[in-house]
Each structure stands twice: as C-alpha cells, then as structure tokens.
C-alpha cells in the first residue's frame, strides 16, 4: 500500500512550488466529489459497456511551474466494474499538451493512497485548479506526470480506486485502469487521437503499482482488445499480507487502517469484510477506522505511527486477525502473480529497492519469478542504494526510458535482472528538455537523504513540515 514517504520527501522539495500555484486563477469553486454532480453516474450506467463515457467536461488544472502553456484537460466519467461485477463509475483526467503525439497515450497511476469516502483523495479532484491540496501525494507525483506531458504524450490519470476510494483493492483498481483506457479510446476523436486503437503504456509506483500490476495481469482476459505496449511499475505491493506484517507497528503503520477501509468498501469486499471488522474493532479501532474514512495518506501516517492493527487495542482477535478467514480471503485476493491466467502479455519494467522500508523487496522478487515462470517478459531492476521514496526518484529515468522504448516496440522479450548502485541522478538522465523536473527531483533526493535516512529518522516531523 503505498508510498507515502516518497511523497513526503518529494513534497518537501517541491513545497515552495506548490504554494506558488496560482490559486487565484481558479474562479469556479471546486466541489468535493461527493458534492459534485458530475461524479454521479446516470441510471443508464447499468446498460452501458465497461469503458463507456457517461459524462465529460473540460477542466482547468493546476500546474506548478514547469509547463509554460495551459494544457487542455478533460474529465471523463466512465463505467467500470465493482469486484462483484456490478456497474460503478470512476473519473479519469486526460491531459492533452499542445502538439501531442496523437496515436498513443500514457496511463499514469498516481499513488493517491487514500480511502476518504468524500473523494478528497481522488486525483481528479486534486488536479483541478483551485482545489485545496489535501492530498500532497497526488500533487507531488504530478511532477512525474508533467515529465510525460513535456515529452509530448497525452496522459490519462484515472481515479482507479473507484467511487468508494477502495484503496488496496487491486482487482478493482486493475479493471478501473483498463476501463479508463477504453474510455479515452472511446473519446478519442474529441481528444484529437488519430487512431481508434491508440498505443498505451502504463506507469505507477507504490500505491500506483497496485493499479498498474493488476491492470497488467488482468488485461489479457479483461481487455484483450487494447493496444497495450508495456507497463512500468516500481515499489510494487505484490502481497498485501506481506506488506501488512512488514509495516505494522512501524513509522508507516498508518497505511493499514486506510487499507482496511478501502478493502471493506461496498465496491470491494464490504459485503463480508465490513460486518466482520465492525464485530471485532475496539472503540479505539473504530475511531481509527473513522479517521481513515475521512482523511488521505499523509494524515493517516501522522495519525497511526508505531501502532498495530494486529493488537488487541485495535481489534479483539489480536494477532490472529490475519488468519481470520474473512480478512485472509480479502488479502489473498490481492496476491499478484499467483495465477497463470493473470500474467501480463505486454512487457513489464519492475523496479524495487532492496532496502525498501515500506513494501518488502522479497515479495516483488517473488512476483518477478512468478510472472517469468508463466512466460511474461519482465526487466527487473534492483536498486541497491535506495529506500522506498528515493527509489521512486532514482528509478524514474529508467521507467521513463522504458515507456519510450515500449512505445517504439524495442523492448527485448524474455526476463532479465540487473542491479543499479545509483544513489543520485544523472542531471541529463531525462534529456535537456526535462531539466527543470530533474532539478526538482534532485532536491527531493537530497531532502529524503540516502536510502530515505531523513524520512526514517522522523517521519512525523518530516510529514508535518509539509502539511
Ligand atoms: C505473502 O506474504 C505472507 C506473509 O508474509 C507470506 O506468508 C506468503 O508466503 C507471501 N506469499 C507470496 C507468494 O509472496
Ligand atoms: C456489489 O457491488 C455493488 C457496487 O459497489 C455494491 O453496492 C453491492 O453492495 C455489492 N454487493 C455485494 C453482495 O457485495
Ligand atoms: C513477503 O514479505 C514478507 C514480509 O517481509 C515476508 O515475511 C515473506 O517471507 C515474503 N514472502 C515471499 C514469498 O516473498
């Protein structure tokens, strides 16, 4: 589940830019998704095919500094599926830079890591000019998204957690991504796409890699008609049970109550999980759950550090909770790489730090072995000198290069592994055009410290400086 720290570190570096955003340009009040009628699905949704565009509107988005000209942006409300197959809707924001390539687009999966039921963690809300920056994660990853825009790509950034902010529900996120790609394709003539089968490459780190990895694995069966050229994902939570035992009781335990909330949303496993959790939570646990239902990632980290969801202070089953059949089933459903028919057919770029302090490296390495065993093409890059946050930055040039190669069709097939010892970025790694982005990323690396040392030393203090 997530990648807060990366957020935190990068956020510290770009905070001055965030505050410099021209908030005064936003004349239309931006409404929370729960109050914004645009987010409400019409009744025709039930009879529409997944990926149908139910509503569309142009929006003004907020850029902090790197793109001189306004970028045309659209929001599409599209039909997708709940875990149980019921029709639900989600929104994707599509950015169309001037002079963009018109036969392809990037599907960008922001690590928004939140389960707030009012929708305030949704990227589509946060990207709008004038929205209060409740979710610093989306704001910060916006920098990486802009690298793709500057490079001339149309970018679609879906609210892949769907209408209930089902954080952690990988299967729902994967189909949410795939249906957003269908929606962009269906809306292609308005966006200026010159083909009905645009080439697509997906990108996501940490929470965004849950969405990316599941979209990659489900695509061959769920959306085989799409022209997918590749998937780049890093800091991948391939095993939520593994992530839970790894971070429970640490500085990053705040991801867990919100994952419980996300998994127990109606569109995910709520029918069985919500009554189960309600029946075992303590008063303290219930108040933590209520907090997670109303707040985004960084706030949750500050709320629940060094606490344990496996303790009897949180729920009455204590450390037997992970063996409870109802919760174990929901967690088990999130295991990537388990079934051969959930293996990506497009090439995958997988990167992960050996000392990732939030998402266990071993589980990503297991995913590499599983997918390769099932015949996938995966390039697995191990960062020997990164933490979770720093590796989002250190690994970005490699992921960016993969995206370009995947579109060009020059990625080698088969599986390969390499280890990188980098602990800083080559200033020209993304090309001269993207130097301003690189400079911000270098600042972020400095702020995070080697292997995230500054973040690990005091995550609360670090987060407070940016909220
Ligand atoms: C997932 O994590 C659990 C808990 O650490 C572990 O027991 C299990 O072996 C892991 N499975 C895989 C396939 O990674
Ligand atoms: C099926 O999904 C819908 C849409 O999220 C939800 O309202 C409903 O409660 C779910 N039903 C069950 C039994 O999970
Ligand atoms: C997954 O990660 C957990 C937590 O570090 C670890 O206990 C488990 O052995 C790992 N399992 C596999 C198969 O990767």
């Amino acid at each position: 589940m997530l990648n807060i720290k990366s957020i935190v570190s990068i956020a510290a570096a770009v905070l001055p830019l965030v505050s410099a955003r021209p908030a005064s340009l936003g004349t239309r009040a931006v409404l929370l998704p729960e109050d914004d009628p645009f987010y409400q699905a019409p009744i025709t949704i039930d009879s529409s095919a997944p990926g149908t565009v139910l509503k569309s509107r142009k929006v003004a988005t907020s850029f902090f500094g790197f793109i001189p000209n306004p970028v045309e942006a659209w929001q599409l409300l599209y039909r997708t599926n709940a875990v149980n197959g019921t029709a639900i809707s989600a929104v994707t924001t599509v950015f169309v830079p001037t002079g963009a390539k018109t036969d392809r687009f990037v599907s960008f999966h922001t690590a928004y890591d939140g389960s707030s039921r009012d929708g305030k963690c949704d990227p589509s809300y946060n990207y709008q000019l004038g929205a209060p920056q409740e979710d610093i994660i989306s704001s910060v990853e916006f920098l990486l998204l802009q690298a793709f825009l500057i490079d001339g790509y149309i970018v679609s950034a879906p609210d892949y957690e769907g209408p209930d902010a089902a954080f952690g529900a990988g299967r729902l996120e994967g189909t949410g991504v795939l249906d957003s790609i269908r929606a962009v394709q269906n809306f292609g003539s308005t966006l200026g796409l010159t083909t009905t089968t645009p080439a697509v490459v997906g990108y996501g780190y940490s929470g965004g890699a849950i969405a990316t990895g599941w979209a990659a694995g489900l695509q061959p069966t769920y959306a085989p008609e799409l022209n997918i050229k590749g998937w780049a994902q890093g800091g991948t939570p391939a095993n939520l049970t593994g992530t839970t035992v790894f971070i429970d009781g640490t500085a990053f335990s705040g991801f867990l109550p919100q994952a419980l909330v996300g998994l127990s949303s109606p569109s995910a496993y709520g029918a069985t999980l919500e009554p189960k959790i309600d029946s075992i939570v303590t008063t303290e646990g219930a108040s933590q759950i209520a907090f997670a239902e109303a707040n985004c990632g960084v706030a949750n980290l500050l709320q629940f550090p060094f606490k344990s969801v496996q303790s009897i202070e949180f729920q009455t089953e204590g450390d037997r909770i992970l063996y409870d059949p109802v919760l174990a089933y929901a967690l088990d459903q999130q295991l990537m790489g388990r079934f051969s028919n959930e293996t990506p057919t497009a090439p995958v770029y997988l990167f992960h730090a050996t000392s990732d302090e939030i998402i266990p490296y071993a589980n990503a390495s297991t995913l590499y072995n599983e997918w390769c065993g099932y015949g996938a093409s995966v390039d697995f890059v191990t960062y020997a000198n990164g933490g979770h946050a720093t590796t989002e930055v250190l690994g970005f040039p490699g992921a960016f290069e993969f995206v370009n190669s995947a579109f060009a069709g020059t990625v080698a097939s088969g599986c390969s592994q390499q280890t990188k010892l980098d602990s800083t970025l080559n200033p020209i790694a993304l090309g001269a055009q993207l130097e301003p982005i690189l400079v911000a990323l270098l600042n972020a690396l400095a702020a995070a410290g080697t292997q995230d040392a500054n973040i690990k030393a005091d995550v609360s203090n670090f987060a407070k400086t940016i909220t």
Side-chain angles (χ1 to χ4, degrees):
M1 2 232 219
L2 11 358
N3 99 337
I4 272 348
K5 61 328 220 28
S6 81
I7 289 353
V8 171
S9 65
I10 300 180
V14 300
L15 187 64
L17 300 166
V18 174
S19 1
R21 295 165 117 189
S24 59
L25 295 183
T27 45
R28 177 173 70 86
V30 177
L31 300 173
L32 273 173
E34 72 171 359
D35 299 325
D36 186 342
F38 181 78
Y39 286 78
Q40 279 157 27
I43 45 171
T44 53
I45 186 173
D46 289 333
S47 57
S48 63
T52 299
V53 177
L54 304 166
K55 293 182 189 175
S56 63
R57 66 178 176 189
K58 256 190 176 172
V59 287
T61 56
S62 183
F63 287 87
F64 33 89
F66 297 106
I67 297 185
N69 300 311
V71 171
E72 179 183 317
W74 290 85
Q75 287 183 341
L76 311 179
L77 181 82
Y78 63 94
R79 184 240 156 110
T80 184
N81 286 327
V83 168
N84 68 20
T86 304
I88 54 170
S89 61
V91 170
T92 189
T93 309
V94 190
F95 301 92
V96 186
T98 310
K101 301 164 183 122
T102 56
D103 61 347
R104 62 192 65 191
F105 66 92
V106 171
S107 188
F108 186 92
H109 315 135
T110 293
Y112 59 112
D113 299 357
S115 53
S116 184
R117 293 275 157 89
D118 58 9
K120 72 163 155 297
C121 319
D122 294 354
S124 64
Y125 172 64
N126 285 277
Y127 290 145
Q128 292 179 71
L129 189 62
Q133 293 307 299
E134 303 264 7
D135 176 13
I136 196 74
I137 301 180
S138 303
S139 315
V140 165
E141 286 203 341
F142 202 18
L143 195 59
L144 304 181
L145 188 160
Q146 288 180 77
F148 290 110
L149 297 178
I150 295 173
D151 216 38
Y153 289 110
I154 292 172
V155 175
S156 170
D159 298 349
Y160 53 76
E161 292 179 7
D164 309 328
F167 174 55
R171 289 167 188 279
L172 176 146
E173 296 184 7
T175 54
V177 165
L178 294 167
D179 289 324
S180 74
I181 293 172
R182 287 172 160 155
V184 172
Q185 200 165 291
N186 290 334
F187 201 67
S189 56
T190 311
L191 296 170
L193 290 176
T194 46
T195 164
T196 52
T197 52
V200 179
V201 180
Y203 167 86
Y205 191 82
S206 195
I210 301 179
T212 311
W214 280 103
L218 296 175
Q219 186 260 326
T221 51
Y222 185 84
E225 82 283 7
L226 296 177
N227 185 13
I228 304 292
K229 298 294 189 188
W231 305 99
Q233 57 184 85
T236 308
N239 179 345
L240 282 201
T241 316
T243 303
T244 302
V245 299
F246 195 64
I247 60 172
D248 199 28
T250 74
F252 305 103
S253 35
F255 286 120
L256 299 175
Q258 60 174 12
L260 284 176
V261 168
L263 290 172
S264 53
S265 68
S267 51
Y269 306 92
T272 49
L273 199 49
E274 193 172 23
K276 176 78 224 181
I277 291 175
D278 285 350
S279 72
I280 60 172
V281 281
T282 60
T283 309
E284 160 68 9
S287 86
Q288 297 295 355
I289 295 267
F291 186 89
E293 283 171 348
N295 290 281
C296 303
V298 172
N300 277 283
L301 281 187
L302 299 178
Q303 171 72 12
F304 200 71
F306 303 105
K307 294 188 182 170
S308 171
V309 296
Q310 296 175 87
S311 83
I312 52 167
E313 274 132 54
F314 193 88
Q315 42 73 31
T316 55
E317 293 186 355
D319 61 8
R320 289 173 293 125
I321 179 76
L322 295 182
Y323 303 95
D324 183 287
V326 175
L327 183 61
Y329 173 80
L331 288 173
D332 209 44
Q333 286 292 302
Q334 316 312 319
L335 192 59
M336 270 180 217
R338 178 178 195 182
F339 300 114
S340 62
N341 66 353
E342 293 178 353
T343 303
T345 46
V348 176
Y349 183 81
L350 193 65
F351 61 106
H352 212 109
T354 25
S355 10
D356 190 314
E357 70 279 24
I358 301 182
I359 308 300
Y361 174 83
N363 295 171
S365 175
T366 299
L367 174 65
Y368 169 74
N369 290 326
E370 302 279 3
W371 273 351
C372 290
Y374 291 137
S377 288
V378 188
D379 186 12
F380 183 34
V381 182
T382 294
Y383 280 83
N385 286 317
H388 186 78
T390 40
T391 298
E392 175 161 27
V393 177
L394 291 175
F396 188 68
F400 191 80
E401 195 184 339
F402 169 86
V403 171
N404 286 321
S405 310
F407 276 122
T410 56
V411 175
S413 59
C415 284
S416 56
Q417 289 192 71
Q418 47 179 312
T419 297
K420 291 200 177 177
L421 301 172
D422 311 12
S423 52
T424 189
L425 288 169
N426 175 345
I428 56 159
L430 298 175
Q433 218 186 343
L434 294 182
E435 202 187 321
I437 301 272
L438 240 293
V439 169
L441 294 177
L442 283 165
N443 290 341
L445 278 182
T450 305
Q451 295 195 342
D452 297 355
N454 301 341
I455 300 171
K456 286 186 218 166
D458 190 351
V459 69
S460 304
N461 197 34
F462 210 88
K464 270 177 204 141
T465 64
I466 57 102
T467 48

